[in-house]
Amino acid sequence: MRISQRRALVGQVTGADLREIEGTLDTGGIDPDTADKFVENVLGTYAMPYGVALNVQVNGRDYVVPMVVEEPSVVAAASNAAKMARAGGGFTAEWDPSVMIAQVQVQDVPDVHVAVRKILEHEREILALADDVLGGVTTRGGGARAVEARVLADDVVVAHLLIDCKEAMGANLVNTAAERVANRVAALAGGRVGLRILSNLCDKRCVRVRCRVPAEALATSDLPGGAVIDAIVQASRFAELDPYRAATHNKGIMNGIDAVVLATGNDWRAVEAGAHAYAARKGRYAPLSIWRRDGDYLVGTLELPLALGTVGGTLRVHRAARLSLALLNVKGSGELAAVAASVGLANNLAGLRALATDGVQRGHMAQHARSVALAAGAAGELVERVARMMVDARDIRLETAKQALASLVAFEMPIQQASSR
Ligand code: NAD
């Protein structure tokens, strides 16, 4: 399909206004004047490709999932693996309430154990102080929920204030609450206030997704589905045994998650920080997802903290982020996290399947060959043909592309002239 046809179709199936899709995506969603209100010393804006993952089904609902990403194959891989998962009923997901952690560090504490006891004894008072500054969220059913206190050293205590941020990511909300309660917490502990800020290891706000893929959906032209299951399980074990592999395994997951996070105007640095801290929570860096065989099925599970907002942050001002939420039509931040995590698991599946069977090399070579063909001057359908000739010859160079293009043009021209006569 051409871009204009895709936009019309996505408008049709999602109910989004076609003029809004066109107006937003032709400009990228923000102009330099708007960008100037986001950050400092603005010179302009920087565009990225905006695509949609297809075939994504989560808890029985179909989604057209916006992805903003510059890396070739990520959108295709998500769509392809989502189709495999779909053959087994799609993704199932569940998520925690939107509880974020505000940290208040207290230093120079004379007796840390007494400090912890006193902070906990005054939980209700601290929660009420926090709720005082959480206005909008408390009226929407959120607000401060609990206080925890931990000893970090002989003279250092940290109080955790747990806050339900509902549909917001919550960083600013939580920081405001931390500042509000800090003096009181320090006074209770008998120490001095240190930092007051959220933790990006928001492990009270996890999402868990699962898929169950039938063997036949995984088969390749060379390998039966059962062999692919075994290969993927072995690839999963490799990541479980080795942090060097786990880092790359998780990168494959974040390919999908970050693209959705970015498309929906959310803070991908916060998500990345939380994901990797969670991956190392047991003292050793580990994969966020695990793959196992269950009879003739491959079962994948993924769990990670995911603080996403459907209100607040940049959403108010970024037109493309608002469009993404309109296309997704999610009810809230938990559902958004479930979709993002499902796409992450899909990208993970696609990556493992490619690595464990063909090797990703073939796919990457094809993509690289297309770029070289374009650079050699190929256009239209000749791009694909020149690229395929180079892949088949296992020789992907500009010179080879030029020769292939010249031979195709020389061969085709007389045929075209003959047929037009
Ligand atoms: P925000 O400051 O825009 O607060 C959310 C607002 O939405 C509040 O005013 C709230 O009252 C309102 N709201 C309306 N409807 C709501 C609903 N249904 N549920 C919840 N709130 C509702 O945004 P935020 O989410 O507090 O903070 C997110 C921003 O903070 C991001 O842009 C992020 O980049 C940034 N940030 C991140 C960090 C970090 O991760 N370490 C630190 C500082 C700031």
Side-chain angles (χ1 to χ4, degrees), residues 174-228:
V174 159
N175 291 346
T176 309
E179 294 199 359
R180 178 71 183 89
V181 304
N183 283 340
R184 182 61 183 140
V185 169
L188 289 165
R192 206 159 48 82
V193 175
L195 305 187
R196 295 140 286 171
I197 179 104
L198 91 156
S199 170
N200 285 114
L201 178 53
C202 48
D203 56 3
K204 314 273 184 205
R205 194 175 183 176
C206 280
V207 56
R208 286 163 286 275
V209 297
R210 184 174 189 274
C211 65
R212 203 162 172 273
V213 192
E216 58 272 19
L218 291 160
T220 68
S221 50
D222 303 326
L223 280 178
V228 177

Side-chain angles (χ1 to χ4, degrees), residues 378-401:
E381 61 161 19
L382 285 177
V383 177
E384 204 54 49
R385 291 175 65 186
V386 170
R388 198 163 323 127
M389 283 168 76
M390 287 191 290
V391 171
D392 289 347
R394 294 187 178 270
D395 181 9
I396 303 170
R397 289 176 305 128
L398 191 59
E399 207 43 48
T400 320

Side-chain angles (χ1 to χ4, degrees), residues 147-181:
V147 175
E148 294 174 347
R150 297 159 55 223
V151 174
L152 296 187
D154 286 349
D155 58 343
V156 185
V157 163
V158 62
H160 281 190
L161 184 57
L162 310 188
I163 299 169
D164 188 340
C165 298
K166 299 310 259 188
E167 315 316 335
M169 180 268 188
N172 292 325
L173 292 169
V174 159
N175 291 346
T176 309
E179 294 199 359
R180 178 71 183 89
V181 304

Side-chain angles (χ1 to χ4, degrees), residues 50-364:
Y50 184 111
V52 283
L54 306 176
N55 308 316
V56 179
Q57 190 174 69
V58 185
N59 292 344
R61 227 200 99 182
D62 289 326
Y63 296 89
V64 172
V65 189
M67 297 178 82
V68 170
V69 62
E70 85 297 346
E71 191 178 334
S73 304
V74 171
V75 179
S79 305
N80 191 20
K83 196 172 186 178
M84 296 172 202
R86 197 184 182 87
F91 300 93
T92 49
E94 50 161 43
W95 53 89
D96 297 332
S98 307
V99 173
M100 297 296 283
I101 301 169
Q103 293 197 293
V104 178
Q105 176 198 13
V106 190
Q107 46 213 11
D108 301 333
V109 178
D111 184 328
V112 287
H113 300 291
V114 171
V116 165
R117 185 167 48 77
K118 282 199 137 185
I119 291 169
L120 296 180
E121 277 172 5
H122 289 78
E123 181 178 34
R124 289 175 69 119
E125 180 197 337
I126 297 169
L127 295 181
L129 273 178
D131 274 341
D132 251 5
V133 290
L134 287 172
V137 176
T138 47
T139 54
R140 291 179 177 89
R145 292 285 182 261
V147 175
E148 294 174 347
R150 297 159 55 223
V151 174
L152 296 187
D154 286 349
D155 58 343
V156 185
V157 163
V158 62
H160 281 190
L161 184 57
L162 310 188
I163 299 169
D164 188 340
C165 298
K166 299 310 259 188
E167 315 316 335
M169 180 268 188
N172 292 325
L173 292 169
V174 159
N175 291 346
T176 309
E179 294 199 359
R180 178 71 183 89
V181 304
N183 283 340
R184 182 61 183 140
V185 169
L188 289 165
R192 206 159 48 82
V193 175
L195 305 187
R196 295 140 286 171
I197 179 104
L198 91 156
S199 170
N200 285 114
L201 178 53
C202 48
D203 56 3
K204 314 273 184 205
R205 194 175 183 176
C206 280
V207 56
R208 286 163 286 275
V209 297
R210 184 174 189 274
C211 65
R212 203 162 172 273
V213 192
E216 58 272 19
L218 291 160
T220 68
S221 50
D222 303 326
L223 280 178
V228 177
I229 292 182
D230 290 337
I232 291 177
V233 170
Q234 284 309 318
S236 175
R237 286 199 60 220
F238 182 13
E240 291 157 46
L241 294 167
D242 181 15
Y244 284 90
R245 173 58 210 153
T248 325
H249 178 105
N250 288 344
K251 195 277 183 183
I253 297 171
M254 301 315 288
N255 270 343
I257 294 182
D258 281 343
V260 180
V261 170
L262 201 47
T264 53
N266 275 287
D267 185 337
W268 73 95
R269 288 88 52 205
V271 166
E272 283 281 337
H276 298 295
Y278 196 69
R281 70 193 181 285
K282 291 181 181 154
R284 199 173 96 139
Y285 191 85
L288 293 164
S289 72
I290 299 286
W291 295 90
R292 290 287 180 269
R293 176 188 271 280
D294 178 15
D296 285 336
Y297 286 82
L298 174 70
V299 177
T301 49
L302 166 68
E303 177 178 280
L304 79 163
L306 207 43
L308 302 183
T310 53
V311 297
T314 53
L315 276 164
R316 276 178 300 234
V317 265
H318 203 300
R319 212 173 148 192
R322 287 202 305 271
L323 173 70
S324 296
L325 288 177
L327 298 185
L328 282 164
N329 194 20
V330 288
K331 293 210 173 52
S333 60
E335 188 182 345
L336 176 59
V339 174
S342 299
V343 172
L345 193 59
N347 274 105
N348 183 218
L349 171 59
L352 294 184
R353 179 170 172 271
L355 270 174
T357 58
D358 288 357
V360 276
Q361 207 49 27
R362 199 177 346 158
H364 280 190

